[in-house]
Amino acid sequence: MKNKPIYITFLLGLIICLLLFILNLSIGSVHIPFPDIASRITGKPFLKASWETILMEFRLPKAITAILAGINLSISGLQMQTFFRNPLAGPYVLGISSGAGLGVAIMVMASTAFGWVIYFGQLGVWSIIISASLGAILVLLLISFTAWRVRDSMTLLIVGLMFGSAVSAIVAVLSYFSGAEQLKLFTVWSMGSLGISSYTQLLGLLIASLLGLLPALFLLKSYNAMLLGEAYAESMGINIKRLRWGIILSTGILAGSTTAICGPIAFIGIAVPHMARLIFKSGDHRILLPGSAIAGAIIMLFCDAISQLPGSAQTLPINAVTSLIGAPMVIWLILRRNFSKEF
């Protein structure tokens, strides 16, 4: 009986996620009525053939990408807040997304900056995903090394911001020496977009998401002990070294692959785990991890629906929308919650 409200909350979350998913398929420059979308999901054909093309070629992969991006970034943020025991940790705040951006910048712009020749061809999707993940893991390793020497949350936050600034400076140098076409590609990518161009990219993101989630699922039971300190976790028989590498690899792959495909997306990683704690009223990671995943998917679908500008053919950059919604949300959470009692 005690856990029944939690199951009801999970069920409500899944229903809201499904409704927003159908809404995202419905709205855009060409409006497809909500009932027609619901009927098409049950197997009935559309009245217009063009709707089928719009749905299958554009809106369906975009909506699935929004769900995967929300899940990946929110779980990355939850793992980082647990790993650093810092409520302000997140892939965007600590420069992890900037590290992924550096990997993408090297792949996109280094060919003209340094005369390198990088083969994109059929391996293009995976080369971008792997380079972004390596960039994210590199910055995460540097932050981890700093965190083992510095325990103060504010100092760690400042160091993370400095890492992000240093990476941004390297990207600026690459931009200065790159060609106009590569610079335009990188600038458009940096604005953030869920509108991936092919199912190949969606398949790459899906596989990377599954690979990134595996360490988190295997190590889930150890996360609660990690919040109480490494000494306590070791006394419980937890292999701290394996736990650290598992979190680093998982976060790097999840945040790196999402940033590679969708561009940098702010505030989802830091805000959603706190929302999950507030909604489910629990610090148990067996509840927080699926709760953060559902909440992340809902927020990203909601932000994507707003970015569509219903009734207009224009689309706002998704990073701008998440920032406009996420920044006030984080400020409200900081003012409302006493983080010192939770970390």
Side-chain angles (χ1 to χ4, degrees):
M1 293 296 291
K2 184 179 179 181
N3 292 331
K4 188 176 180 180
I6 291 179
Y7 294 136
I8 293 175
T9 307
F10 273 119
L11 181 60
L12 287 174
L14 290 173
I15 292 173
I16 293 172
C17 189
L18 177 62
L19 292 175
L20 284 172
F21 178 74
I22 298 175
L23 178 65
N24 272 46
L25 298 179
S26 175
I27 61 176
S29 57
V30 176
H31 175 67
I32 303 177
F34 194 93
D36 289 271
I37 292 289
S39 299
R40 182 64 185 88
I41 291 176
T42 61
K44 296 180 181 178
F46 281 128
L47 297 176
K48 297 181 180 179
S50 60
W51 288 358
E52 183 76 17
T53 303
I54 292 172
L55 177 70
M56 299 305 295
E57 298 296 328
F58 301 102
R59 295 187 185 176
L60 183 60
K62 190 165 181 270
I64 296 175
T65 302
I67 292 175
L68 291 176
I71 293 173
N72 292 351
L73 293 177
S74 57
I75 291 180
S76 296
L78 176 65
Q79 290 188 109
M80 293 187 66
Q81 289 169 11
T82 303
F83 182 58
F84 293 115
R85 286 189 289 162
N86 188 328
L88 298 178
Y92 196 87
V93 176
L94 290 185
I96 310 302
S97 296
S98 298
L102 176 61
V104 175
I106 290 174
M107 292 300 295
V108 173
M109 298 190 293
S111 58
T112 53
F114 299 107
W116 297 349
V117 178
I118 299 174
Y119 175 70
F120 283 92
Q122 295 297 325
L123 298 177
V125 175
W126 286 109
S127 61
I128 292 292
I129 288 177
I130 291 172
S131 59
S133 297
L134 289 177
I137 289 173
L138 175 63
V139 173
L140 190 51
L141 285 173
L142 294 173
I143 296 288
S144 302
F145 176 75
T146 306
W148 292 333
R149 296 177 61 88
V150 179
R151 293 294 180 184
D152 181 66
S153 299
M154 188 56 66
T155 304
L156 183 62
L157 181 63
I158 294 172
V159 171
L161 292 174
M162 292 303 103
F163 276 128
S165 298
V167 169
S168 298
I170 296 174
V171 172
V173 172
L174 288 174
S175 303
Y176 182 78
F177 289 104
S178 67
E181 184 178 350
Q182 286 77 14
L183 182 59
K184 180 182 178 182
L185 284 173
F186 185 78
T187 302
V188 171
W189 170 87
S190 64
M191 292 180 181
S193 174
L194 300 173
I196 59 176
S197 59
S198 69
Y199 278 98
T200 304
Q201 289 180 313
L202 178 59
L203 179 62
L205 178 60
L206 178 61
I207 294 174
S209 301
L210 293 175
L211 291 175
L213 285 174
L214 283 178
L217 295 175
F218 278 118
L219 298 171
L220 186 58
K221 293 182 180 178
S222 305
Y223 287 179
N224 290 338
M226 191 71 177
L227 280 179
L228 300 175
E230 294 183 359
Y232 177 81
E234 283 184 317
S235 70
M236 297 292 290
I238 294 171
N239 188 328
I240 295 297
K241 188 176 181 181
R242 186 177 65 177
L243 180 61
R244 284 175 182 161
W245 277 108
I247 293 177
I248 289 173
L249 283 175
S250 175
T251 303
I253 293 173
L254 291 174
S257 61
T258 303
T259 305
I261 299 298
C262 306
I265 299 177
F267 290 103
I268 299 298
I270 183 174
V272 171
H274 293 303
M275 288 178 60
R277 293 186 183 93
L278 199 64
I279 294 171
F280 292 95
K281 295 180 173 58
S282 174
D284 189 343
H285 285 73
R286 292 171 297 182
I287 296 173
L288 284 181
L289 191 135
S292 297
I294 294 173
I298 290 173
I299 293 294
M300 280 304 296
L301 286 171
F302 179 69
C303 290
D304 187 39
I306 293 177
S307 72
Q308 296 293 325
L309 292 177
S312 170
Q314 302 295 323
T315 302
L316 294 174
I318 191 66
N319 192 26
V321 178
T322 57
S323 298
L324 287 172
I325 294 177
M329 188 183 297
V330 170
I331 293 173
W332 177 76
L333 286 168
I334 291 174
L335 294 176
R336 177 185 172 91
R337 298 174 67 84
N338 186 358
F339 290 126
S340 61
K341 292 182 178 180
E342 302 177 13
F343 291 86

